[in-house]
Amino acid sequence: MKKLYATTILSVRIGKKVALGGDGQVTLGNTIIKDRAKKIRKIYNNKILIGIAGATSDAFSLLDMFETKVKIFNGNIIKAADCLSKEWRDNKIFRNLEAMILVANKKITLIITGLGDVLEPINGIGAIGSGGIYAQSSAMALKENTNLSAFEIVKKSLNIAGKLCIYTNLLHTIETLE
């Protein structure tokens, strides 16, 4: 899968609290098309957070597919992710989708890639998108060296990513589960 120049999506877990946030910028090549897109959603009766990165229509298609799988598996995001990953990998049409999704519930965070990966990030911090590595690095430092909440770490880290990554802006959507 090629590198996605798409966005910044970040999830931070501290204890039983998880926050997932993303920027609002949508680009087409090197042009900003929209600055207030909502790439973060609560699904399954507000019990699961999901963030999308990648080609817009591909990402929303994957979000819809994941939400369907979550319903089939009664909210079990691991089973839903495994099923989606297999379908994504095996289906000739889906295989070419250029997107990633980051999902979290009260217990686990997962990154699902177009290569068929279902990954649980270390230290309760997951990130996707072109600004993801900046946000993840910042979140790791803040989590290890401050007493900030998951929400505050996501907010500060997205701000840092937005100052470094040209595909990321400073207009954020952040959702939490407690």
Side-chain angles (χ1 to χ4, degrees), residues 70-84:
V70 165
K71 289 176 185 173
I72 291 168
F73 292 106
N74 298 315
N76 186 322
I77 67 172
I78 295 174
K79 286 184 179 181
D82 286 342
C83 185
L84 175 63

Side-chain angles (χ1 to χ4, degrees), residues 23-176:
D23 75 306
Q25 185 165 291
V26 176
T27 56
L28 182 59
N30 59 0
T31 304
I32 298 170
I33 302 299
K34 186 173 182 177
D35 65 355
R36 288 177 172 80
K38 188 175 179 195
K39 304 169 195 174
I40 306 299
R41 302 275 191 282
K42 279 187 173 181
I43 63 171
Y44 199 70
N45 299 318
N46 296 323
K47 294 178 183 175
I48 298 171
L49 302 174
I50 186 166
I52 56 175
T56 306
S57 63
D58 292 354
F60 280 108
S61 293
L62 290 168
L63 185 146
D64 290 342
M65 290 168 50
F66 182 77
E67 189 167 13
T68 298
K69 303 291 184 210
V70 165
K71 289 176 185 173
I72 291 168
F73 292 106
N74 298 315
N76 186 322
I77 67 172
I78 295 174
K79 286 184 179 181
D82 286 342
C83 185
L84 175 63
S85 177
K86 183 179 184 321
E87 190 173 328
W88 193 346
R89 198 175 48 249
D90 293 344
N91 186 299
K92 286 183 181 182
I93 295 170
F94 297 152
R95 191 180 308 149
N96 295 317
L97 296 179
E98 296 181 359
M100 297 175 76
I101 54 180
L102 178 60
V103 298
N105 63 14
K106 287 184 177 183
K107 297 180 180 179
I108 192 168
T109 302
L110 299 172
I111 297 172
I112 307 167
T113 76
L115 296 174
D117 300 313
V118 176
L119 309 165
E120 183 178 0
I122 59 171
N123 300 327
I125 300 171
I128 58 175
S130 56
I133 195 69
Y134 305 114
Q136 184 176 11
S137 298
S138 171
M140 288 174 71
L142 290 169
K143 187 176 178 185
E144 290 175 13
N145 296 292
T146 71
N147 291 321
L148 295 174
S149 69
F151 179 92
E152 292 168 319
I153 290 173
V154 168
K155 182 70 175 165
K156 287 182 180 295
S157 298
L158 289 173
N159 279 329
I160 289 168
K163 293 175 184 175
L164 297 171
C165 177
I166 63 169
Y167 299 101
T168 301
N169 71 10
L170 301 174
L171 302 172
H172 309 129
T173 300
I174 303 172
E175 297 284 355
T176 60

